[in-house]
Amino acid sequence: MAFGRIIPAAASWTPLSGGQAYTRVGSKRIEHLAPAKRSFSAKSHYDETVVYKYASQKLKPVSIGQLLKYMRQPLSKENILDSIAYTQEELPVRLAKRVISFHKLPFIVGTNPHIARTYSQYYEAFDRLHAFAPIKDMDAEWAFTQALERQTQLLIDVIPTIAQGFLECKQYMQREDRTAFINDLIRSRIGLRVIGEQHVALSYQFREEQKRMEQPSQDSKALDSEASGIAATEDAWVGTIHTKLLPARMMEQCGQLVQGMCEMHYGTAPDYYVDGDIGETISYIPSHFEYITCELLKNAFRATVDFSNKTNRSSHPPIQITITKGDGYVGVRIRDQGGGISKNNMRNVFEYSWSSMQADGSDEPNAAATSMSGMSMQSNIALQQGIGGPIAGLGFGLPMARLYASYFGGSLDIVPMEGYGCDVFLKLRSIEGSVEEKQI
């Protein structure tokens, strides 16, 4: 099959109210011409040259130890400028490499509107961030941080968008090629978000610390008491990493969320309970933990309700969530009585764009993009923030959950008992235990 390239047009930043859009970097203003939409048929030689220049550079992976190096000290301006120097240098390179990866897709796949939109989002993210001059002061750092935060939010719907694109054109690529592309995209996305969000969180944390230090002295005793309480809570955070995360508490919160979603979609939901080593803590990124466990719980709740309907059970058996303590890791077992998974379906559960909803009776690509309640696939955008989404349908949930689990050295395994239920085993390594080994 012939491969074609999607050629980028001139990147643009559409202004809010006409004229030219601009980014302020300290006292300087970087202006951007602002056509409303990009066409993929035109190109700028300068733009293509710049992208390839950045994409040709080697990545500079950051270790977990580097992310945690500000753990034991109040943040200083030097810390923040050190963090932004790496972030500003590394993110455009990673974004450029992701842009170039789209050029290697078969032409007919690259022109799919959902995949083309994702390509455009990555290209625009690269264009906006690489335009900043090297940052030397805190005003410029704050401008870049705000732009980075906005850009992170603009890229939040990448996965549901790309999922819809591959659902519509998966017949044009071999399964292995499709899986390799999506895995690389998701791993790259995790790395981009960890690096970018870590700096954004550190920048906000530094400014909060400065604000507290500048409090007026008249109510110093009360302020000291309040500040010590805040500090005790914030001592657990190093940017986006929570060093004393309670998995049992997270599972309670995720259980409540998914139970509510199940009630909304099906009108009924099973109960759940958490047992085991409920006081165990782990150093982890809460949004990652939340995304993985919400995906696993959605499957358990949906399977339980479906199997109850199928077998005319008078009530739903509860879902059991057990926390176990290991050497440098935490284990989570989710046990349901949702009928299990057949041998044929078990071969496919970790395949992208495969959904048990299709296996249960619909072969139409769009059927997997719509939840049982009729909600659009795009409502799965919320899922990227770890806050849920439709109860089933995209076929990206389990493979993405396993990829997230393995990113910091963990694992995800499913042991089905057909006709009864499933045991799902999630093993998450404490990030602090990966300090010397894991690089992002």
Side-chain angles (χ1 to χ4, degrees):
M1 180 177 291
F3 283 72
R5 283 174 33 201
I6 307 171
I7 303 298
S12 66
W13 193 342
T14 305
L16 295 177
S17 56
Q20 288 184 311
Y22 64 88
T23 302
R24 186 173 294 281
V25 182
S27 59
K28 297 181 179 180
R29 198 170 81 165
I30 301 173
E31 295 187 347
H32 307 266
L33 295 177
K37 294 183 179 179
R38 177 201 307 280
S39 167
F40 287 93
S41 59
K43 77 167 186 174
S44 162
H45 179 72
Y46 170 78
D47 290 333
E48 185 180 77
T49 301
V50 171
V51 173
Y52 274 90
K53 175 185 173 183
Y54 275 85
S56 66
Q57 298 178 31
K58 290 185 178 180
L59 295 180
K60 297 180 180 178
V62 58
S63 70
I64 298 297
Q66 289 172 287
L67 293 181
L68 292 170
K69 66 182 177 179
Y70 305 125
M71 184 174 175
R72 307 298 180 194
Q73 58 185 351
L75 291 169
S76 65
K77 291 182 180 179
E78 290 73 22
N79 296 151
I80 300 303
L81 291 175
D82 178 57
S83 173
I84 196 66
Y86 172 76
T87 304
Q88 185 186 19
E89 181 182 8
E90 185 68 7
L91 290 190
V93 174
R94 296 189 181 219
L95 287 166
K97 289 180 182 294
R98 192 48 39 206
V99 168
I100 298 304
S101 72
F102 281 85
H103 293 179
K104 300 174 183 178
L105 290 173
F107 183 78
I108 195 169
V109 176
T111 54
N112 175 276
H114 302 286
I115 293 174
R117 176 187 167 195
T118 303
Y119 169 85
S120 179
Q121 288 175 311
Y122 273 103
Y123 189 88
E124 288 169 4
F126 164 78
D127 183 67
R128 294 177 187 184
L129 295 185
H130 98 276
F132 279 81
I135 292 169
K136 304 295 184 184
D137 58 64
M138 294 303 290
D139 287 339
E141 181 276 328
W142 185 235
F144 185 90
T145 297
Q146 290 178 304
L148 178 58
E149 186 177 24
R150 287 194 299 271
Q151 199 56 55
T152 300
Q153 292 301 312
L154 290 173
L155 287 172
I156 210 165
D157 66 340
V158 160
I159 299 305
T161 303
I162 206 80
Q164 180 68 17
F166 277 105
L167 278 170
E168 294 176 358
C169 59
K170 63 182 181 180
Q171 66 268 34
Y172 302 120
M173 287 182 73
Q174 294 292 327
R175 175 185 289 186
E176 295 78 11
D177 294 334
R178 189 171 69 245
T179 298
F181 179 86
I182 297 171
N183 277 341
D184 286 345
L185 177 74
I186 295 172
R187 287 194 190 99
S188 169
R189 183 176 182 275
I190 294 172
L192 285 165
R193 293 197 66 170
V194 169
I195 293 169
E197 291 178 356
Q198 181 71 2
H199 175 75
V200 170
L202 288 173
S203 184
Y204 274 97
Q205 188 175 324
F206 167 75
R207 285 169 171 79
E208 286 298 317
E209 289 176 3
Q210 295 297 304
K211 193 180 297 183
R212 288 199 300 272
M213 290 173 62
E214 294 167 3
Q215 293 275 6
S217 59
Q218 49 264 34
D219 295 323
S220 58
K221 186 174 290 188
L223 289 170
D224 286 345
S225 176
E226 180 184 353
S228 64
I230 294 172
T233 302
E234 294 191 348
D235 279 348
W237 288 92
V238 183
T240 57
I241 300 169
H242 197 295
T243 59
K244 298 176 183 177
L245 188 68
L246 274 166
R249 182 180 297 171
M250 291 290 293
M251 294 306 301
E252 285 281 1
Q253 294 171 353
C254 293
Q256 290 178 14
L257 174 66
V258 176
Q259 189 178 51
M261 291 166 52
C262 192
E263 285 272 8
M264 180 177 69
H265 289 292
Y266 290 95
T268 183
D271 288 328
Y272 68 94
Y273 61 95
V274 181
D275 60 14
D277 299 322
I278 59 175
E280 182 63 14
T281 63
I282 186 175
S283 178
Y284 214 72
I285 299 176
S287 60
H288 287 201
F289 187 99
E290 190 177 20
Y291 171 75
I292 297 166
T293 54
C294 276
E295 273 305 313
L296 300 179
L297 287 171
K298 284 198 294 182
N299 288 334
F301 274 80
R302 173 182 176 249
T304 300
V305 172
D306 283 349
F307 197 60
S308 291
N309 293 337
K310 183 178 179 180
T311 59
N312 296 315
R313 281 192 302 215
S314 58
S315 62
H316 306 307
I319 292 167
Q320 181 185 10
I321 304 166
T322 304
I323 311 295
T324 61
K325 176 183 178 180
D327 184 14
Y329 71 89
V330 163
V332 179
R333 183 192 67 189
I334 299 175
R335 171 171 287 177
D336 68 63
Q337 296 179 43
I341 304 172
S342 71
K343 187 176 180 179
N344 286 337
N345 284 347
M346 192 62 202
R347 297 192 189 105
N348 299 312
V349 292
F350 289 113
E351 294 292 335
Y352 292 109
S353 301
W354 183 90
S355 169
S356 61
M357 290 178 67
Q358 295 179 64
D360 290 343
S362 175
D363 294 324
E364 292 299 319
N366 288 335
T370 306
S371 75
M372 294 294 285
S373 68
M375 295 180 71
S376 165
M377 179 280 305
Q378 287 299 326
S379 60
N380 247 330
I381 289 174
L383 198 148
Q384 302 311 305
Q385 296 172 300
I387 58 173
I391 201 74
L394 269 181
F396 266 52
L398 278 177
M400 271 190 64
R402 187 167 67 169
L403 202 58
Y404 268 83
S406 65
Y407 194 79
F408 291 114
S411 61
L412 173 61
D413 297 289
I414 300 175
V415 179
M417 185 178 289
E418 191 171 357
Y420 183 79
C422 283
D423 281 0
V424 178
F425 295 93
L426 174 65
K427 180 179 177 180
L428 298 176
R429 289 191 62 184
S430 179
I431 284 180
E432 285 185 88
S434 310
V435 166
E436 300 303 327
E437 301 174 23
K438 178 62 184 176
Q439 291 192 320
I440 297 170

